């Protein structure tokens, strides 16, 4: 129904910045929330940030004040600006989307294939 393609991952030193982008295609009219999840090696997958169609935003506590999520519905896109990156941010980052209103967005209907972010010290 919906396909998601991420870009913008890479290698950056601690304290640096990266901007992730994601473009949705397919039945994009059904999308409500768009977000970013990540999974570090040996760790469980976690929500990083999510933004609903109404503009409500939630961040993981670990990224508050450093990451900013935004979306451009005209381009079917969602972005994640990551500043002051830390080695602990190293993970595969997944673009996600969901058609439903949810109390939380730990699970999403649609997932991209992921883009690797590596933060070195």
């Amino acid at each position: 129904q919906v396909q998601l393609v991420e870009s913008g991952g890479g290698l950056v030193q601690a304290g640096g910045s990266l901007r992730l982008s994601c473009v949705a295609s397919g039945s994009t009219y059904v999308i409500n929330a768009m977000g970013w999840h990540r999974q570090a090696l040996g760790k469980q997958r976690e929500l990083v940030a999510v933004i609903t169609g109404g503009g409500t935003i939630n961040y993981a506590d670990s990224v508050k004040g450093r990451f900013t999520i935004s979306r451009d519905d005209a381009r079917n896109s969602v972005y994640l600006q990551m500043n002051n990156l830390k080695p602990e941010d190293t993970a595969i980052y997944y673009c996600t989307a969901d058609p439903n209103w949810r109390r939380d967005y730990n699970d999403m209907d649609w997932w991209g294939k992921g883009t690797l972010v590596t933060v070195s010290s």
Side-chain angles (χ1 to χ4, degrees), residues 24-110:
S25 61
S27 301
T28 57
Y29 65 92
V30 307
I31 294 173
N32 173 24
M34 299 190 74
W36 295 90
H37 292 66
R38 68 186 181 186
Q39 186 166 25
L41 186 64
K43 305 288 187 180
Q44 289 188 311
R45 189 173 60 198
E46 65 174 345
L47 173 69
V48 177
V50 63
I51 180 168
T52 71
T56 300
I57 295 173
N58 287 301
Y59 295 100
D61 288 341
S62 60
V63 308
K64 285 181 179 177
R66 299 188 297 120
F67 291 12
T68 302
I69 189 171
S70 61
R71 67 192 289 173
D72 184 344
D73 289 336
R75 298 180 179 180
N76 296 316
S77 298
V78 63
Y79 309 93
L80 187 68
Q81 178 66 46
M82 304 185 292
N83 297 327
N84 192 25
L85 282 159
K86 303 176 179 180
E88 298 78 47
D89 296 316
T90 296
I92 298 174
Y93 283 71
Y94 298 91
C95 179
T96 56
D98 197 279
N100 304 302
W101 181 92
R102 298 181 184 272
R103 189 162 286 105
D104 67 71
Y105 289 94
N106 294 317
D107 294 315
M108 305 286 270
D109 278 7
W110 301 301

Side-chain angles (χ1 to χ4, degrees), residues 109-120:
D109 278 7
W110 301 301
W111 293 72
K113 292 184 178 181
T115 185
L116 178 62
V117 172
T118 302
V119 184
S120 66

